[in-house]
Amino acid sequence: MARPRKPLLSRERIVACALALVDAEGLGAVSTRRLAAELGVSGPSLYNHFRTKDEILDAVADEVCSQVDLSMFEDGTEWRAALLGWARSYRAALTAHPNIVPFLAQGPGRRPSQLRMADAVFGAMTAAGWPKVQATHIGATMRYFVAGSALGSFARGFVDDADVYARDYPHLDEAHLLAEHQQRIDDGAFETGLRALVDGLAQRFSS
């Protein structure tokens, strides 16, 4: 029998399969045994591409972060507009894959995409005139804010039952309607916080 023209396994296939598992079932679903079964290969064959499960998750996290647009830090965009555009792109990537966020929150480690992102933000802030310490704080603060916004939905946290709130929580008399408008509320909350954060930084920069 002729050998297949393409190898049965590649880093890209493993990462895509692992990301699909994380999206569908969470981080706990990823194991070398499960991945091998999903990919239709023997377990040891995975080790030709990754030494450990954490290396696979690192690659998954890096793939998600590679989707974040960094062009605004490279084309001379004013620093406030650059932060706004980057934060929106960053949130879009994370909300598309929220189950990977806790792993990403551990920090960039050796992941190229996250390191490029940290380098781009820090470089743009220092180029704009921020001291290095403050530029570091800005990058960290933005990451905390974006990651936190992607971890869950404020609106979906309320149940669709007016009786739960009506008697004991008079100011939440319409809270049972929030889940119905989840996307609009969560997007609006993110934009409100993002604008307040960047506007606050601008005031501090000019003082």
Side-chain angles (χ1 to χ4, degrees):
M1 181 180 295
R3 297 180 63 184
R5 292 185 179 181
K6 294 184 179 179
L8 293 175
L9 204 56
S10 66
R11 287 179 64 91
E12 291 75 17
R13 280 194 66 205
I14 296 169
V15 170
C17 183
L19 179 55
L21 282 176
V22 171
D23 286 344
E25 302 178 34
L27 289 166
V30 177
S31 69
T32 54
R33 178 178 297 181
R34 177 73 183 277
L35 283 170
E38 293 285 335
L39 292 163
V41 299
S42 63
S45 62
L46 295 175
Y47 296 111
N48 293 325
H49 302 276
F50 295 99
R51 292 176 297 177
T52 65
K53 183 183 84 168
D54 276 352
E55 280 193 4
I56 296 172
L57 289 175
D58 267 334
V60 169
D62 202 57
E63 171 61 25
V64 171
C65 283
S66 74
Q67 300 167 15
V68 180
D69 183 11
L70 300 177
S71 63
M72 64 286 295
F73 296 121
E74 301 162 355
D75 62 9
T77 300
E78 189 267 341
W79 70 268
R80 287 166 291 191
L83 283 181
L84 290 171
W86 164 63
R88 290 169 183 142
S89 178
Y90 192 13
R91 178 177 179 254
L94 297 192
T95 53
H97 308 284
N99 290 338
I100 197 64
V101 174
F103 192 82
L104 279 168
Q106 298 173 14
R110 299 175 184 270
R111 301 169 202 144
S113 293
Q114 278 191 274
L115 290 171
R116 280 194 296 271
M117 185 161 60
D119 181 69
V121 175
F122 182 80
M125 294 306 101
T126 54
W130 284 96
K132 289 184 176 180
V133 171
Q134 291 300 314
T136 301
H137 292 169
I138 290 169
T141 300
M142 296 294 289
R143 187 170 68 89
Y144 299 152
F145 175 69
V146 173
S149 74
L151 279 174
S153 164
F154 174 81
R156 282 203 306 266
F158 295 87
V159 299
D160 182 16
D161 184 350
D163 292 338
V164 172
Y165 311 105
R167 187 185 64 184
D168 297 322
Y169 310 100
H171 300 297
L172 299 180
D173 58 325
E174 295 184 350
H176 63 289
L177 303 175
L178 292 179
E180 181 181 339
H181 306 285
Q182 176 259 323
Q183 189 72 47
R184 179 169 59 84
I185 291 169
D186 290 345
D187 288 350
F190 175 76
E191 281 296 319
T192 298
L194 178 62
R195 288 282 183 176
L197 180 54
V198 174
D199 286 350
L201 287 172
Q203 288 183 6
R204 185 170 183 175
F205 186 73
S206 60
S207 63

